Amino acid sequence: MANFLSKLFKPKWQNKSAEVRLEALQQLDPHNNEQREIIESLLLNDENPSVRQAALSKTSDPARVIVLYAKLNNADKPAAVEHLTKLSESLGLSLFDLIEDKTFLAQIIMATESPDEFLNSLARIQDEEALILIAQQAKLSRLRQAATELIESEECLDKVIETARSKDKKVFQIAKSKLSHIREHKKQVEQQKLQLSGLLANLKELANTDDTNLYSAKLDSLKQRCNALIEVASNDQVSSYQSLVIDCEKRLQAIQVEEAKIASVSAETKQPEDQESPSSDISLEQQDSELIATINTLEDTLSQLSERAAAPQDTSAIDAIIKTQETRWIESTKEEAVDKETEKSYKQKMSALRQYLSALQKLSQQQARIESLTQQSSYEAYKELKSILDKVSWPDNFALPALLITASEVMAKSEEHEQAKEQEQSKIEAELNQSLTALDKLLDEKQLNASKQKIQQVRKLHKKLTKKRQNHYTSALKLRSDQLNELRDWQGFAASPEQERLCESMEALIDKHIDPQEKSAQIKQLQERWKSLGGAQDPALWQRFSNAAEAAFAPCAEYYSEQGELKKANLEKRKKLAAELAEFVEQINWETVDWKAVEKINRQARNEWREAHPVDRRHGRGLQEQFNQTLAKLNDKIDAERGQNLAIKQDIVSRAQAFAESEELSTAMQGAKDLQSEWQKVGITEHKKDRVLWKEFRAACDKIFAQRDAQRNKAKQEHDEKLAQTEEIVNEAEQTVKQTFSSVKDAETSLASLRSNLKQVTNVNGKKRTELLDRYNACIEALKHQIKQLDFERILAQWNEAQRKADILAIAAENKEEIDANFASTVELSKRLEERFQARAKASKAQKLTISDDDLAQELCIRCEIAAGLESPASAQERRMQLQVTRLSEGLSGAASLSREEQLEQLLIAWFAENVFDTKTREIYTNRIDACIKQVFGAAQLASQKLASETAEPA
């Protein structure tokens, strides 16, 4: 009874019928805790997909959907993500705002098949482990690539490379490129640190040196170079640099004091007795002293450099002397003219010093390369070293640096060796030219074997030449190789009948009973003949010949012990052979005979007759006459057949020659191939006459194939010209996108021009088409990016202007006064925003401009942060939750249809133009409002550019 009642009063949502459960589910209230648990139970456990889908739709709390997601059936998870997205949109939020667990969010992204809703916000995931999961396991390649772009650490990139190596080529390339860039940057920093260490060592040496020559200029040069690298310096290096600079500056001060004393003593000894010279004379004397001092400084510097060579690091110091003395001369000659001798002396010394500086700079640039070349002994190293020394052009009458002394010694030692080597190379080159001439003659004469031997000789000589000389003959050698291959192909085709006969001859030797030495000689002759034909084109034919040769070399039958017995046996053989041949000639049906077999029998009969030797002449003379008469009858039949076949081949030659004169190349080509097949099928012919016809036939075919080659070359030339024009278009496009446009209009004009030329790029055929099209599309995408960037800058400028006008409104409201003329917009604003500001301006004139309360300011700021997907401060979390719950309960369907940018724009208009807040309140929220603007418009722009650069498709 109890069991019956339990079935009778069982809830409908537990009914066996899915339709009943669906109907019951529609009556459940998700806001009732007990009924909400029933809905969730159906969502997780019901066996019917429709019931589970209906239960999911009834779950309106995003937090509960997030909690239940992990327990859902895998088939229901995509629907759950879609449901969460709709719930977030109804709240004016994104899925990223609802889900704080980034690992869980990564799992949702990996399972999605709609990348657009996640790509723009993917950059907000800071956890690189979550990004690794997306890069490795996301279903869509665009998501995997975008996640890889956001990974920055070497360790994480190594993980992505390891998993993507053989699975995802694009992700592998992105990760490898980023990792290479990071490591290259580190390597550059390390190199800069090493360079700085070297400079610090030079600075330390300068602080302790006794050489005061050019001290100030050397110190300035080292300071300038150190300052350029100080950003990568460690704390110890910075401290060491500062200490060394102080030491050097103290040393410089002491040197300057000492020089001043010396100059004072020198001036006193040269002071004239007459102290009452006019002021004008004093001025001239001062000018003369400055000019003389300049010339003396230059002369002293040149004198020092002639006695001791400057080091490469002294270039900055010498450059400083040139500039200071040049300035000194110009200042001293402004007022008064200079005599020609003094000016000539100055110019000569200044020119010599400039020439020295130029040579020293070139030596400094090539220092490492010169040091490397002096350690090498090759001809190429000698030539490069000579070229570098000629470019340095060290001036005469100056001391040589140690590096140039070493280089000069190496050059002197290498000169004789290189001259001998050059003579040897010239000799080899002359021999090579002679061999090429001989090879051309052999190729013209169609001598295959001799040509193969000669080309091997040419190649050996070619390898003995230097690389530069080899390059002169590379194309010539390739041309001869091609000609040899063509000759081999034709002779292989022509040699097939002869090789067939050689196989038959070799097979005949298998059963020959001749002296072993004689048999060996005959086999060798056949093999040499085979080699002279250049090998077989048909492997089966060669195998047949090889097998026959092996069988022929098998042990021979025992020699007859007695010469007499041998003659008797041979005589019996000849009797039998003569009888069989006579019977064959009389009984064969000449209408259906196999003529190749007849030729074979003829040859075989002759061979066997000769093999049956020696015989007794007295008994064998009559038998010989009988055999000759039978052979004559057989030869008459064979000659008749050969004549008919020769006429057929003559007809084939005539048709081939007609094809060679035809203008229809494709028809001629096919006709030549068909005629070659016909030629193969023609029966026996006389060998000598056959060779004459074969040469004519081959010449006609060669002419046809030459026309084909000419046509192909013409088509290739036309294709190359078209390709060159297209490459020029692509290059011009790449130059265009390198420009920085000042306005969207200019950029869009260039974009339209690029698109108009796209058709010409797509018309290119061949291997480079994809490359050129990719490059051109990349230009289009790059220009699109510039347009988007310009638009982004316009948006930011608009909100900056709104900020300025809002500040003016706030001041006017606080001071109860009208706004001033500065309120006019300096940047074009949106129509709606401009209208709101104009309304505020009218309110100000009517003294109706009021300050909005702080609570409204906080609410607008939090709503901006919600729209931008930013976290609010901890103190505002409670207020934020209230706003979210309020928006959920009100079901803000209108906001769901707006994008995040549109929602934020509405809120910003309310913040800047529809309400006026006092200065203190604005200062509290200004940074947060600015962050929202940058987050929404800046992040969208960045994500759009990255996505477009990776997924660019043909326009």
Side-chain angles (χ1 to χ4, degrees):
M1 185 69 177
N3 186 35
F4 172 77
L5 290 175
S6 65
K7 291 183 178 180
L8 183 62
F9 294 103
K10 189 175 183 178
K12 289 185 177 181
W13 60 269
Q14 294 181 345
N15 195 285
K16 292 182 179 180
S17 172
E19 294 180 359
V20 175
R21 294 199 304 275
L22 279 172
E23 183 179 352
L25 181 61
Q26 299 301 325
Q27 306 302 319
L28 296 177
D29 182 7
H31 300 291
N32 183 291
N33 291 336
E34 183 178 351
Q35 295 183 20
R36 177 172 56 80
E37 292 179 359
I38 295 173
I39 294 173
E40 293 178 359
S41 175
L42 291 171
L43 172 61
L44 297 176
N45 304 316
D46 198 283
E47 62 183 13
N48 188 278
S50 300
V51 176
R52 296 197 304 272
Q53 181 64 38
L56 178 63
S57 301
K58 291 288 287 186
T59 307
S60 58
D61 185 357
R64 293 305 302 166
V65 178
I66 293 172
V67 170
L68 296 171
Y69 181 86
K71 302 177 183 179
L72 290 176
N73 188 303
N74 288 335
D76 296 333
K77 287 183 177 181
V81 173
E82 183 178 355
H83 186 55
L84 272 175
T85 303
K86 291 180 179 179
L87 290 176
S88 63
E89 290 176 351
S90 68
L91 294 173
L93 304 173
S94 68
L95 204 56
F96 284 85
D97 299 317
L98 292 177
I99 304 175
E100 297 182 356
D101 185 349
K102 301 306 180 186
T103 302
F104 172 56
L105 184 59
Q107 292 176 351
I108 291 179
I109 294 175
M110 285 187 291
T112 187
E113 296 184 357
S114 302
D116 294 335
E117 58 190 84
F118 293 107
L119 277 173
N120 291 341
S121 302
L122 195 60
R124 294 169 57 191
I125 298 181
Q126 303 298 323
D127 184 1
E128 291 203 338
E129 291 297 331
L131 290 173
I132 289 176
L133 287 175
I134 298 172
Q136 293 175 338
Q137 302 178 21
K139 289 184 178 180
L140 300 176
S141 61
R142 292 168 63 189
L143 288 172
R144 295 197 300 273
Q145 293 165 18
T148 305
E149 286 284 5
L150 295 172
I151 299 174
E152 297 296 338
S153 68
E154 289 186 56
E155 181 180 357
C156 293
L157 286 171
D158 278 328
K159 291 180 181 179
V160 174
I161 289 173
E162 187 64 27
T163 56
R165 187 179 302 276
S166 58
K167 298 179 181 179
D168 193 330
K169 182 178 180 182
K170 188 63 177 179
V171 169
F172 174 78
Q173 290 175 345
I174 294 172
K176 189 174 181 181
S177 176
K178 291 201 67 176
L179 185 60
S180 175
H181 178 74
I182 292 171
R183 289 175 176 171
E184 183 65 26
H185 177 68
K186 286 187 175 181
K187 183 179 178 182
Q188 290 176 357
V189 171
E190 291 300 324
Q191 290 176 346
Q192 290 175 342
K193 287 183 178 180
L194 288 175
Q195 187 178 358
L196 182 60
S197 298
L199 293 174
L200 292 177
N202 293 339
L203 200 58
K204 184 177 181 181
E205 181 182 351
L206 185 64
N208 300 320
T209 185
D210 294 330
D211 183 10
T212 61
N213 182 36
L214 308 176
Y215 194 91
S216 176
K218 291 179 180 178
L219 177 58
D220 291 340
S221 175
L222 287 173
K223 285 168 64 179
Q224 183 179 4
R225 294 166 68 187
C226 286
N227 288 334
L229 300 173
I230 205 67
E231 292 182 358
V232 301
S234 62
N235 293 333
D236 292 340
Q237 287 177 322
V238 172
S239 176
S240 176
Y241 169 67
Q242 294 173 346
S243 175
L244 289 171
V245 168
I246 293 173
D247 293 343
C248 289
E249 288 179 345
K250 289 180 179 179
R251 180 75 188 283
L252 178 60
Q253 291 176 0
I255 292 171
Q256 290 174 343
V257 170
E258 185 66 25
E259 289 177 349
K261 290 180 180 179
I262 294 172
S264 176
V265 172
S266 177
E268 290 176 0
T269 58
K270 294 181 180 180
Q271 185 174 4
E273 295 180 0
D274 187 4
Q275 300 293 329
E276 297 181 358
S277 301
S279 59
S280 60
D281 293 339
I282 294 173
S283 176
L284 291 173
E285 288 175 2
Q286 290 176 349
Q287 180 193 26
D288 291 341
S289 64
E290 285 295 319
L291 298 177
I292 293 171
T294 300
I295 294 174
N296 289 340
T297 300
L298 295 175
E299 187 172 357
D300 291 343
T301 303
L302 293 172
S303 177
Q304 292 175 15
L305 295 175
S306 65
E307 295 174 359
R308 187 185 65 188
Q313 57 266 28
D314 293 337
T315 53
S316 299
I318 297 175
D319 186 48
I321 289 176
I322 291 174
K323 291 178 180 178
T324 54
Q325 297 308 314
E326 187 175 31
T327 303
R328 187 178 185 184
W329 177 270
I330 293 172
E331 292 296 330
S332 301
T333 57
K334 279 184 178 179
E335 301 297 334
E336 298 293 337
V338 183
D339 63 89
K340 293 184 179 180
E341 289 299 326
T342 303
E343 185 175 9
K344 181 179 179 182
S345 175
Y346 165 75
K347 288 183 177 179
Q348 289 176 345
K349 291 176 173 56
M350 182 60 77
S351 175
L353 192 56
R354 288 185 189 277
Q355 185 180 2
Y356 186 91
L357 174 61
S358 175
L360 186 61
Q361 288 173 335
K362 294 176 182 177
L363 179 62
S364 176
Q365 294 170 359
Q366 299 290 341
Q367 181 177 2
R369 187 56 183 161
I370 293 175
E371 291 173 351
S372 173
L373 292 172
T374 55
Q375 304 299 320
Q376 302 177 30
S377 58
S378 66
Y379 176 69
E380 288 74 14
Y382 163 76
K383 289 188 64 178
E384 185 178 353
L385 181 59
K386 185 176 184 304
S387 175
I388 291 175
L389 295 182
D390 290 342
K391 290 179 181 178
V392 170
S393 185
W394 192 260
D396 298 333
N397 302 324
F398 287 98
L400 285 174
L403 183 60
L404 285 182
I405 293 174
T406 303
S408 300
E409 292 174 352
V410 171
M411 291 287 293
K413 292 178 182 179
S414 302
E415 189 73 34
E416 295 181 1
H417 172 72
E418 296 304 329
Q419 287 178 356
K421 188 174 181 180
E422 187 69 20
Q423 291 176 357
E424 179 66 20
Q425 287 286 303
S426 298
K427 184 178 178 182
I428 295 171
E429 190 171 3
E431 187 177 354
L432 176 61
N433 286 325
Q434 293 176 358
S435 298
L436 285 173
T437 302
L439 176 59
D440 289 339
K441 183 178 179 182
L442 292 172
L443 289 171
D444 290 340
E445 295 173 354
K446 309 301 181 186
Q447 297 186 34
L448 180 61
N449 288 335
S451 297
K452 289 195 294 185
Q453 294 175 0
K454 181 59 69 175
I455 202 168
Q456 290 299 327
Q457 179 184 352
V458 169
R459 285 169 177 162
K460 289 179 181 179
L461 292 172
H462 185 257
K463 289 180 179 178
K464 293 180 181 179
L465 293 175
T466 61
K467 190 171 183 179
K468 183 176 180 180
R469 289 178 184 255
Q470 284 180 355
N471 292 337
H472 293 304
Y473 294 93
T474 300
S475 58
L477 192 57
K478 184 179 183 304
L479 176 62
R480 270 69 171 192
S481 297
D482 293 342
Q483 291 175 344
L484 180 62
N485 290 334
E486 183 180 356
L487 178 60
R488 183 183 290 111
D489 293 341
W490 275 110
Q491 290 213 353
F493 173 70
S496 294
E498 181 65 20
Q499 289 168 345
E500 180 74 28
R501 286 190 284 270
L502 288 175
C503 287
E504 295 170 356
S505 298
M506 186 64 77
E507 289 167 349
L509 281 177
I510 295 174
D511 298 325
K512 278 187 178 180
H513 302 288
I514 58 176
D515 183 80
Q517 294 181 349
E518 179 63 18
K519 180 179 284 191
S520 176
Q522 291 184 24
I523 292 173
K524 187 175 181 180
Q525 288 177 357
L526 292 175
Q527 289 174 334
E528 291 296 330
R529 176 56 182 159
W530 184 278
K531 291 180 181 178
S532 68
L533 295 175
Q537 297 295 314
D538 184 1
L541 193 61
W542 160 246
Q543 190 63 41
R544 175 186 171 189
F545 181 80
S546 178
N547 292 340
E550 290 178 5
F553 270 107
C556 300
E558 296 183 0
Y559 284 85
Y560 293 103
S561 59
E562 297 293 338
Q563 189 68 20
E565 294 295 327
L566 177 61
K567 290 182 178 181
K568 289 180 182 180
N570 287 338
L571 184 59
E572 292 299 322
K573 285 183 181 181
R574 286 194 171 185
K575 287 180 179 180
K576 183 179 180 181
L577 180 60
E580 289 177 352
L581 185 62
E583 184 180 1
F584 172 77
V585 172
E586 294 299 330
Q587 295 183 1
I588 189 68
N589 184 355
W590 295 106
E591 299 296 329
T592 60
V593 70
D594 182 354
W595 288 103
K596 288 187 178 180
V598 171
E599 275 193 323
K600 183 177 180 180
I601 290 172
N602 188 9
R603 290 192 301 270
Q604 189 171 349
R606 293 172 183 273
N607 291 336
E608 290 182 5
W609 186 268
R610 285 191 294 269
E611 289 169 3
H613 179 79
V615 294
D616 189 339
R617 290 186 180 180
R618 185 179 57 182
H619 295 92
R621 186 178 296 113
L623 190 61
Q624 180 70 52
E625 292 177 359
Q626 178 187 347
F627 182 74
N628 290 340
Q629 291 174 1
T630 305
L631 279 181
K633 294 179 181 181
L634 182 60
N635 288 333
D636 289 341
K637 297 291 186 180
I638 292 175
D639 289 342
E641 180 64 22
R642 286 176 174 173
Q644 293 178 6
N645 292 336
L646 200 64
I648 295 173
K649 288 193 173 183
Q650 180 64 61
D651 179 64
I652 292 175
V653 171
S654 300
R655 285 187 283 159
Q657 291 171 343
F659 278 131
E661 301 300 327
S662 174
E663 296 181 357
E664 294 293 333
L665 183 58
S666 59
T667 303
M669 287 286 297
Q670 186 60 45
K673 293 177 182 179
D674 293 341
L675 290 177
Q676 288 175 351
S677 298
E678 287 186 36
W679 186 279
Q680 293 273 17
K681 296 176 182 178
V682 177
I684 61 174
T685 56
E686 185 182 347
H687 180 72
K688 185 176 180 180
K689 294 180 179 179
D690 184 86
R691 293 301 87 198
V692 174
L693 289 177
W694 169 248
K695 289 181 180 180
E696 295 177 4
F697 179 59
R698 186 174 63 181
C701 291
D702 286 346
K703 185 174 181 180
I704 294 171
F705 294 132
Q707 293 176 4
R708 176 202 61 187
D709 294 341
Q711 189 178 76
R712 286 180 178 176
N713 292 336
K714 181 179 179 182
K716 183 179 182 302
Q717 182 179 0
E718 292 175 353
H719 174 268
D720 291 345
E721 291 175 355
K722 187 175 182 181
L723 182 62
Q725 295 174 356
T726 305
E727 286 183 341
E728 183 177 355
I729 292 173
V730 174
N731 291 336
E732 290 177 357
E734 289 174 341
Q735 293 300 319
T736 298
V737 299
K738 289 180 181 179
Q739 302 177 23
T740 301
F741 293 92
S742 58
S743 67
V744 174
K745 182 178 180 181
D746 293 342
E748 287 178 342
T749 300
S750 296
L751 178 61
S753 177
L754 291 184
R755 283 173 169 163
S756 65
N757 290 333
L758 181 61
K759 184 176 180 181
Q760 187 168 351
V761 178
T762 56
N763 286 337
V764 175
N765 297 320
K767 296 181 180 179
K768 294 200 68 176
R769 180 182 186 277
T770 301
E771 175 195 342
L772 293 173
L773 194 57
D774 289 346
R775 286 172 55 194
Y776 201 78
N777 283 325
C779 294
I780 292 176
E781 292 303 319
L783 202 50
K784 288 181 181 178
H785 299 165
Q786 283 205 45
I787 294 172
K788 291 179 181 178
Q789 183 61 32
L790 291 170
D791 192 54
F792 169 59
E793 292 172 358
R794 180 189 61 78
I795 292 172
L796 290 184
Q798 173 182 277
W799 292 122
N800 288 336
E801 175 65 8
Q803 175 72 46
R804 185 187 70 82
K805 293 170 76 78
D807 289 341
I808 295 174
L809 288 174
I811 294 172
E814 289 174 353
N815 298 332
K816 303 297 183 177
E817 59 186 18
E818 293 186 20
I819 58 176
D820 55 21
N822 292 331
F823 188 73
S825 299
T826 60
V827 174
E828 184 179 357
L829 304 179
S830 67
K831 182 178 179 181
R832 182 179 175 188
L833 183 58
E834 186 65 43
E835 289 174 352
R836 295 299 187 277
F837 275 124
Q838 292 301 324
R840 296 296 95 196
K842 290 180 181 179
S844 174
K845 290 181 180 180
Q847 299 295 323
K848 293 181 180 181
L849 200 61
T850 59
I851 302 294
S852 300
D853 58 44
D854 294 348
D855 186 61
L856 178 59
Q858 183 186 30
E859 177 182 345
L860 285 175
C861 183
I862 292 173
R863 289 176 64 190
C864 286
E865 289 171 336
I866 292 172
L870 293 177
E871 293 292 336
S872 300
S875 60
Q877 287 297 322
E878 181 178 355
R879 178 59 173 156
R880 177 169 178 154
M881 185 59 71
Q882 292 173 357
L883 289 173
Q884 288 178 334
V885 171
T886 301
R887 289 167 63 84
L888 177 61
S889 62
E890 291 176 354
L892 299 179
S893 59
S897 62
L898 298 179
S899 66
R900 188 171 63 159
E901 290 80 7
E902 291 172 338
Q903 293 179 41
L904 182 60
E905 183 178 10
Q906 290 182 355
L907 294 171
L908 291 175
I909 291 174
W911 173 263
F912 289 117
E914 292 180 352
N915 297 280
V916 179
F917 301 105
D918 58 53
T919 304
K920 183 177 180 181
T921 301
R922 292 176 59 77
E923 290 176 352
I924 293 173
Y925 298 107
T926 294
N927 290 338
R928 290 165 62 185
I929 294 295
D930 289 343
C932 294
I933 294 173
K934 293 177 181 178
Q935 175 66 20
V936 171
F937 298 109
Q941 183 74 6
L942 179 61
S944 174
Q945 291 178 350
K946 287 186 175 182
L947 173 60
S949 66
E950 291 302 324
T951 60
E953 299 177 354

